């Protein structure tokens, strides 16, 4: 992996070319993205291919961020999907989809929001494709997830934490059952 100076080249170019107006303007972006971990379990195959009951889908998200070097952070979007029927688990998929994020001259509050709301919003379409491909490759119909309002969920979680007097750390966003 490139060092921090190389990683922020695109951010430097945008800032130096006046893309954000003047020097020292806030700039943030995705430097790279990748699958950090992917696990697909098809525990009852081949019998589960003949089950005619529509499985119940349990979908869970978790967002975490950690500083790397200098102005870079790693954002992790974890997605766990469990498809169950009365006969047992149909499939289980665990995905950790990550990005290296570069940020410069961002106030702390805006940086936090970028890490926990905007970066996951940018990563989600790619993670959704990985999940769809994984379920298809496991022998099932591709799982196509609806878009998620990460910004709205972020605001909701921050309001809850303020009301409880809590500290904004890793975000855990409850999934939905289909």
């Amino acid at each position: 992996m490139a060092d921090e100076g190389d990683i922020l080249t695109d951010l430097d170019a945008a800032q130096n070319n006046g893309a954000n107006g003047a020097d020292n303007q806030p700039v943030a972006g995705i430097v790279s993205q990748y699958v950090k971990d992917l696990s697909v379990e098809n525990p009852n195959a081949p019998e589960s291919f003949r089950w005619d009951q529509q499985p119940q889908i349990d979908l869970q998200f978790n967002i975490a961020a950690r500083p790397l070097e200098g102005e870079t952070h790693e954002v992790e979007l974890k997605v766990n999907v469990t498809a169950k029927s009365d006969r047992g688990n149909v499939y289980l998929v665990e995905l950790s989809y990550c990005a290296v994020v570069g940020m410069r001259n961002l106030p702390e509050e805006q940086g936090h929001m970028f890490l926990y709301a905007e970066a996951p919003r940018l990563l989600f379409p790619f993670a959704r494709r990985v999940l769809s491909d994984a379920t298809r490759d496991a022998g099932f119909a591709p799982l196509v997830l609806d878009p998620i309002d990460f910004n709205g969920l972020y605001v909701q979680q921050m309001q809850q934490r303020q009301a409880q007097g809590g500290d904004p750390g890793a975000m855990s966003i409850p999934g939905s059952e289909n």
Side-chain angles (χ1 to χ4, degrees), residues 55-62 78-84 91 93 124 128 131 143-150 153 156-157 172-178:
Q56 295 295 313
I57 305 294
D58 179 37
L59 177 64
Q60 300 293 320
F61 290 91
N62 188 28
K78 281 190 165 190
V79 185
N80 294 326
V81 180
T82 304
K84 295 181 181 182
Y91 61 81
V93 181
F124 182 72
R128 178 173 48 190
L131 290 168
L143 177 66
V144 180
L145 299 177
D146 291 333
I148 296 173
D149 180 8
F150 287 101
L153 291 170
Q156 182 182 41
Q157 289 246 334
S172 179
I173 298 174
S176 61
E177 293 187 24
N178 296 330

Side-chain angles (χ1 to χ4, degrees), residues 158-169:
M158 290 299 101
Q159 288 172 343
Q160 288 175 353
R161 288 176 188 223
Q162 269 186 335
Q164 297 169 353
D167 180 38

Side-chain angles (χ1 to χ4, degrees), residues 77-137:
L77 175 59
K78 281 190 165 190
V79 185
N80 294 326
V81 180
T82 304
K84 295 181 181 182
S85 79
D86 291 340
R87 294 179 162 181
N89 285 334
V90 179
Y91 61 81
L92 302 103
V93 181
E94 296 176 357
L95 172 64
S96 175
Y97 197 82
C98 297
V100 173
V101 173
M103 298 186 302
R104 178 171 293 143
N105 301 324
L106 240 54
E108 186 175 335
E109 183 178 299
Q110 290 178 354
H112 190 269
M113 186 168 191
F114 187 84
L115 292 173
Y116 289 95
E118 187 62 16
R121 183 191 70 80
L122 296 170
L123 293 177
F124 182 72
F126 300 98
R128 178 173 48 190
R129 183 198 49 82
V130 171
L131 290 168
S132 178
D133 289 351
T135 55
R136 184 200 64 222
D137 292 347

